[in-house]
Amino acid sequence: MDFKDKVVIVTGGAQGIGLCIAREFRKQGAHVCVIDKQAGEHFVGDLSDKQTLERFAQHVIENYGKVDCIINNALPLMKGIDECSYEEFQYALNVGVTAPFYLVKLLKDHLAEGASIINISSSRDRMSQPQTESYTAAKGGIASLTHALAVSLAGKARVNSISPGWIDTSYTIYNGPDAKQQPAGRVGNPQDIAQMVLFLCSSKAGFITGENICIDGGMTRQMIYHGDCGWTLD
């Protein structure tokens, strides 16, 4: 996978999965443009703000003139129906759905040949815990946005999404039930996601577009019944 001198955008790239993705692209020789609200040497800004997105897009165009890969990774707010206000819910959608859409819109005429867009969704786009409505709605939205963009940008860019499951960004090694409940036998880490991002952005994935790939150790494929494998419902 040769990314030498490719121009890669990573939103939310100052920590966690986004930081790992940015580092892996840099190892391959790419020019990585990170935007994150966290202070640092990257472009600092709030993705929920329209003008910030416009300034960032202009910054990338002025410095590089093209974009090879866009990784929409920034994390939306997670709050549930009991506590989430209208404004907070809207903020989650702005960061998780509107920003990826608008950033691609701003940059679509500057996409290089063979460009690739990766949207980071979540296994919560198909399953939920209580009190997670803002995050889950945003992740469901970006998963659907993926196949819409794949069709609209056919011939200009391949567009795919990844749905991570339990990813421990501190690389903690879990034992016992936390690991065993996952068919893969362990909790995931950012490298599990970053390596798939690089693959999907490479020419090796040239026939893959509009697809969602769930990387969750098999948890969403495991059927759970009361009394099975020692599971009980109180």
Side-chain angles (χ1 to χ4, degrees):
M1 293 183 285
D2 183 11
F3 293 103
K4 183 173 175 55
D5 294 329
K6 300 290 187 182
V7 179
V8 179
I9 289 172
V10 182
T11 71
Q15 58 187 331
I17 293 172
L19 176 60
C20 183
I21 292 170
R23 283 175 174 170
E24 291 303 312
F25 272 114
R26 288 190 180 111
K27 287 179 185 178
Q28 299 291 328
H31 302 290
V32 181
C33 305
V34 167
I35 178 171
D36 199 297
K37 65 180 181 180
Q38 180 175 303
E41 296 181 357
H42 49 268
F43 190 100
V44 177
D46 188 340
L47 284 160
S48 70
D49 179 66
K50 178 175 180 282
Q51 292 183 344
T52 296
L53 292 168
E54 292 170 347
R55 289 198 307 272
F56 176 64
Q58 191 60 36
H59 165 79
V60 174
I61 293 166
E62 288 178 354
N63 281 276
Y64 298 102
K66 66 160 187 170
V67 179
D68 293 278
C69 306
I70 301 174
I71 317 302
N72 289 307
N73 165 78
L75 195 67
L77 178 75
M78 183 188 286
K79 276 198 171 184
I81 194 167
D82 289 349
E83 295 184 358
C84 188
S85 68
Y86 178 92
E87 291 76 16
E88 288 171 327
F89 192 85
Q90 191 63 59
Y91 179 82
L93 294 181
N94 284 346
V95 172
V97 183
T98 306
F101 165 78
Y102 194 51
L103 190 58
V104 171
K105 180 178 176 66
L106 291 169
L107 294 168
K108 67 182 179 66
D109 293 332
H110 300 274
L111 293 171
E113 184 178 355
S116 180
I117 298 166
I118 308 296
N119 296 324
I120 304 299
S121 183
S122 167
S123 60
R124 293 173 188 268
D125 61 12
R126 68 206 66 191
M127 58 192 297
S128 294
Q129 289 176 298
Q131 302 301 321
T132 62
E133 279 77 12
S134 66
Y135 184 90
T136 300
K139 291 304 186 181
I142 200 171
S144 297
L145 177 65
T146 296
H147 55 75
L149 286 174
V151 174
S152 294
L153 297 178
K156 298 188 70 171
R158 293 181 299 103
V159 188
N160 293 289
S161 64
I162 295 173
S163 293
W166 183 357
I167 304 296
D168 191 293
T169 56
S170 64
Y171 294 86
T172 301
I173 304 298
Y174 291 82
N175 296 302
D178 285 334
K180 291 180 179 178
Q181 69 180 335
Q182 309 195 57
R186 67 174 175 87
V187 172
N189 65 63
Q191 280 288 342
D192 294 313
I193 309 305
Q195 294 304 317
M196 180 57 74
V197 169
L198 266 67
F199 170 73
L200 289 174
C201 286
S202 76
S203 59
K204 294 181 179 180
F207 198 55
I208 304 174
T209 192
E211 189 57 76
N212 172 270
I213 299 175
C214 187
I215 304 177
D216 70 342
M219 285 193 73
T220 54
R221 295 302 189 187
Q222 181 164 258
M223 299 180 73
I224 298 176
Y225 291 97
H226 173 71
D228 188 20
C229 300
W231 290 310
T232 59
L233 178 64
D234 295 331

